[in-house]
Amino acid sequence: TGIISGTPAEGTRGSHPFTVKVADSNKLPVYGQQSFNLAIKKGFYEAVVTIGSSLLGGEAKVLVGGKEACRLPGGASKRLSFPLGTRHTITVDSQITHPSECTGLPQTQLVVLIQK
C-alpha cells in the first residue's frame, strides 16, 4: 500500500502516464509493475461564508469583488467556488436588507477553506 500525494505545478493539466515497479527483499527478488494514468484537471477552491446566528431578522448581502453574490439570513452559509490562481475579495455588507425583525447589529464570520 502506498500514497501518491502532491500539488501539481501550474500548467501541468492533462493526462500523465506512470509506472510503479516493486520488488520484494528475498535473495531472489520477485518483481512486479503496474501502469497508471494520472489525470490533472483544472482546480477550484471554495470559500464558505457564514452569517452569525445573532442576526435575528433580515438578510446580509455577500459581495465578491464588490458585486452581490447572494443574500443570507442569520445562521446561513453559502459555498462560493473560484478557479485556482484567481484572487477574490469577499465582504459582507453592514447594511441589513429587510430588517423588520432585527434586534441588533449582525455579527459576521468569514471562513475560507482551500480544497486541494
Side-chain angles (χ1 to χ4, degrees):
T1 301
I3 297 174
I4 297 173
S5 66
T7 302
E10 190 171 330
T12 59
R13 181 172 39 173
S15 182
H16 302 277
F18 66 97
T19 301
V20 175
K21 298 177 184 180
V22 296
D24 64 18
S25 58
N26 289 330
K27 191 172 187 174
L28 295 173
V30 176
Y31 297 92
Q33 71 180 39
Q34 171 107 25
S35 294
F36 298 92
N37 196 36
L38 179 64
I40 299 176
K41 299 179 180 180
K42 185 174 183 177
F44 290 85
Y45 68 93
E46 288 188 333
V48 179
V49 179
T50 301
I51 303 302
S53 59
S54 63
L55 176 60
L56 301 177
E59 298 173 322
K61 288 184 200 176
V62 177
L63 309 168
V64 177
K67 295 183 181 181
E68 185 175 328
C70 63
R71 294 179 185 214
L72 297 174
S77 295
K78 174 75 175 174
R79 288 183 182 275
L80 302 171
S81 185
F82 304 102
L84 287 175
T86 61
R87 292 177 184 248
H88 301 275
T89 301
I90 301 170
T91 57
V92 177
D93 193 342
S94 61
Q95 294 293 320
I96 302 303
T97 59
H98 314 297
S100 59
E101 299 176 20
C102 280
T103 59
L105 294 175
Q107 294 179 1
T108 60
Q109 178 184 15
L110 175 64
V111 179
V112 179
L113 302 176
I114 305 300
Q115 305 290 325
K116 289 185 179 183

